[in-house]
Amino acid sequence: EPEVTQTPSHQVTQMGQEVILRCVPISNHLYFYWYRQILGQKVEFLVSFYNNEISEKSEIFDDQFSVERPDGSNFTLKIRSTKLEDSAMYFCASTVRGGDTEAFFGQGTRLTVV
Amino acid sequence: DAKTTQPPSMDCAEGRAANLPCNHSTISGNEYVYWYRQIHSQGPQYIIHGLKNNETNEMASLIITEDRKSSTLILPHATLRDTAVYYCIVSSTGTASKLTFGTGTRLQVTL
C-alpha cells in the first residue's frame, strides 16, 4: 500500500536553530499538506501546497515557516528560528486531488525544541 | 467549514458494533462528512467520507441523516486495534482538502 514517508522520526534542536522536516508524498499525488499536533492538543492545519505554490495557510504559518518541493519527490517544511512552542508532532499529508478525497498522512516527526 | 460535535469518549466491547455519532447541524450543501482516526500519536488515518448517501467500505459504514445534520460511523465488529480517537470532519470541496480537526471521540474497545 502506498504511504507517505517522513524523516526524521524525532528531531531535537536548540531554540533559535533552523530545522527542516522532510516528507515524501505518494508518487502520483498533487496536493501536499503540513499539520502539527502539540502534545495533548488537536491536530492543526498549517499549509497546503499545489502546483509549486501555497494554496492556503493558517495563522500559525507565519514568516518563520516555509515549504518547498525541491525536486519531484520531496516536500519540506522549514522553521527558520525555532521557538520552544514549536515543539510538536508535525504530520505531512498528500492527496491525489483537491476536494473530496482521502488524505494520506505520514507517521510524523516529533520536534523537540530545547 | 461547519463545526462538528462529538461525545468525548465511548466504550465498546470487542466483537460488538461501535456506533460513533456526530452532529453537524450547520453543514452546507457542498460540504462532505469525513471520518479519520488517530491511534496513539500516529498520523491520522482516513476511514470513510460521504456527501448525502450512506457509504460502506472495508473498514466502516457511514450513515448520514436525510437532513444531513448528523451522521454515525459504524465499525461493525470492533477489535482492540480499533481503540483510537475518531474525528468527524466537515469539509467543503475546493482547491485543496484542508481538514479542520476537533477533539474527536476517544473509543476504548475492551475485552
Side-chain angles (χ1 to χ4, degrees), chain A residues 10-17 19 82-87 111-114:
Chain A
H10 189 187
Q11 174 138 12
V12 181
T13 189
Q14 292 212 321
M15 193 167 51
Q17 295 295 303
V19 294
T82 50
K83 308 185 195 74
L84 295 176
E85 53 265 38
D86 293 327
S87 295
L111 176 65
T112 302
V113 182
V114 296

Side-chain angles (χ1 to χ4, degrees), chain B residues 30-85:
Chain B
N30 67 341
E31 289 182 314
Y32 284 74
V33 180
Y34 292 82
W35 284 84
Y36 283 78
R37 71 181 182 184
Q38 188 175 27
I39 297 171
H40 297 299
S41 296
Q42 296 177 21
Q45 178 189 21
Y46 168 85
I47 302 172
I48 199 166
H49 77 283
L51 183 63
K52 52 185 176 181
N53 297 323
N54 297 337
E55 302 287 345
T56 294
N57 63 20
E58 65 278 2
M59 285 183 72
S61 294
L62 173 60
I63 309 297
I64 302 174
T65 57
E66 196 168 335
D67 63 8
R68 302 210 321 124
K69 293 185 176 181
S70 65
S71 60
T72 301
L73 177 75
I74 301 172
L75 307 178
H77 305 288
T79 72
L80 296 178
R81 286 194 300 266
D82 292 321
T83 293
V85 179

Side-chain angles (χ1 to χ4, degrees), chain A residues 31 33 35 37 99-100 102-103, chain B residues 34 36 38 46 94-95 97 99:
Chain A
Y31 293 80
Y33 313 82
Y35 291 79
Q37 186 174 32
D100 78 291
E102 170 184 0
Chain B
Y34 292 82
Y36 283 78
Q38 188 175 27
Y46 168 85
T95 307
S97 303
L99 300 169

Side-chain angles (χ1 to χ4, degrees), chain A residues 57-113:
Chain A
K57 59 184 180 180
S58 70
E59 301 175 340
I60 304 166
F61 194 88
D62 62 21
D63 292 344
Q64 291 299 310
F65 292 88
S66 62
V67 289
E68 195 177 34
R69 189 156 160 80
D71 53 41
S73 58
N74 290 287
F75 179 51
T76 61
L77 174 70
K78 184 194 292 187
I79 309 175
R80 281 186 240 292
S81 176
T82 50
K83 308 185 195 74
L84 295 176
E85 53 265 38
D86 293 327
S87 295
M89 281 290 282
Y90 287 81
F91 296 109
C92 172
S94 68
T95 59
V96 66
R97 62 177 185 272
D100 78 291
T101 187
E102 170 184 0
F104 290 78
F105 284 79
Q107 288 305 295
T109 293
R110 178 170 298 284
L111 176 65
T112 302
V113 182

